[in-house]
């Protein structure tokens, strides 16, 4: 039985093209697991994680892992509305996924109006750098993040690097804005 007491509940959505690592980031954060091959999300998957943002204040984070594919857009749209935070994820080894970030951002902003959603931009798969597979530079990603008004974090779901940091940065931003 889960007796975790919490004071706030935040719904966080994962945004970004298919295969950038959205499901893997959530699995790393909530279960500290990484699988080389996981079933592609169909529709929306649901996860929970508890975070103590300060002594005596625990937040229940609910994650909606939306499918990136165009054909599932109609399923995911209804979930945008109640979300307070979004992780905008691209793959550092996939230029096209970076070029699509602005589109994801604008679409969500439009859908949640008049509410606002706070974002963190995540460049995932830093481990690919060792293999010379990096296609997006840190500087240009930082520029985009500044333009979107979001902090930027480079992470690896595979290596478990800076994953918790990305989620917690987002949760703390939302908490501070209450
Ligand atoms: P999603 O479609 O955005 O949810 O992406 P998935 O989480 O399903 O990941 C797509 C593929 O990328 C899978 O084969 C993962 O194992 C792989 N992947 C996810 N994160 C990383 C990472 O940090 N590094 C590497 N090398 N591969 C990753």
């Amino acid at each position: 039985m889960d007796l975790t007491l919490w004071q706030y509940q935040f719904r966080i959505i994962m945004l970004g093209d298919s295969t950038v690592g959205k499901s893997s980031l959530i699995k790393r954060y909530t279960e500290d697991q990484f699988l080389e091959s996981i079933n592609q999300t169909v529709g929306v998957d649901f996860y929970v994680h508890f975070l103590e943002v300060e002594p005596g204040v625990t937040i229940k984070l609910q994650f909606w892992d939306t499918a990136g594919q165009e054909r599932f857009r109609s399923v995911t749209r209804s979930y945008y509305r109640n979300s307070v935070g979004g992780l905008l994820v691209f793959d550092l080894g996939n230029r096209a996924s970076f070029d699509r970030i602005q589109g994801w951002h604008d679409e969500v902003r439009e859908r949640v109006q008049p509410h606002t959603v706070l974002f963190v931009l995540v460049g995932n798969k830093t481990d690919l750098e060792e293999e010379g597979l990096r296609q997006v530079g840190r500087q240009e990603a930082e520029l985009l993040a500044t333009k979107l008004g979001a902090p930027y974090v480079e992470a690896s779901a595979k290596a478990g690097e800076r994953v918790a940091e990305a989620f917690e940065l987002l949760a703390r931003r939302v908490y501070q804005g209450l």
Side-chain angles (χ1 to χ4, degrees):
M1 190 165 32
D2 188 357
L3 294 173
T4 308
L5 293 170
W6 47 273
Q7 284 70 43
Y8 299 98
Q9 183 167 233
F10 296 165
R11 187 174 291 178
I12 308 286
I13 39 175
M14 304 297 287
L15 305 153
D17 285 0
S18 193
T19 78
V20 296
K22 301 181 297 300
S23 301
S24 301
L25 286 164
I26 295 181
K27 285 205 174 60
R28 173 60 80 188
Y29 184 49
T30 61
E31 298 165 8
D32 200 17
Q33 251 193 38
F34 178 77
L35 306 168
E36 284 292 344
S37 155
I38 48 180
N39 292 335
Q40 234 181 24
T41 310
V42 174
V44 178
D45 275 347
F46 182 75
Y47 300 84
V48 167
H49 194 78
F50 294 92
L51 172 68
E52 191 173 27
V53 279
E54 59 178 279
V57 182
T58 297
I59 294 175
K60 180 180 178 182
L61 299 171
Q62 291 186 319
F63 300 103
W64 295 106
D65 183 14
T66 61
Q69 297 95 327
E70 200 59 45
R71 67 199 158 110
F72 296 124
R73 285 277 176 86
S74 56
V75 180
T76 59
R77 267 183 185 151
S78 58
Y79 293 111
Y80 289 173
R81 261 173 262 141
N82 301 318
S83 305
V84 291
L87 226 65
L88 288 164
V89 186
F90 68 93
D91 175 347
L92 286 161
N94 175 351
R95 175 104 224 152
S97 71
F98 176 69
D99 295 337
R100 284 275 306 129
I101 289 292
Q102 180 83 54
W104 281 107
H105 171 270
D106 295 351
E107 184 179 320
V108 174
R109 282 289 283 268
E110 188 189 308
R111 303 261 155 221
V112 300
Q113 272 176 4
H115 303 288
T116 51
V117 171
L118 293 173
F119 296 101
V120 166
L121 179 64
V122 179
N124 187 39
K125 311 195 186 182
T126 47
D127 59 284
L128 293 180
E129 182 142 35
E130 291 155 25
E131 296 162 50
L133 295 173
R134 188 178 179 116
Q135 289 185 6
V136 182
R138 181 185 275 274
Q139 251 190 333
E140 58 182 327
E142 271 168 358
L143 262 174
L144 176 63
T146 304
K147 189 174 156 204
L148 301 177
Y152 176 56
V153 176
E154 292 195 336
S156 169
K158 184 173 184 173
E161 274 171 18
R162 301 193 71 195
V163 175
E165 191 180 330
F167 284 110
E168 292 176 13
L169 191 57
L170 181 58
R172 284 176 201 284
R173 283 196 86 202
V174 175
Y175 178 63
Q176 279 156 13
L178 286 178

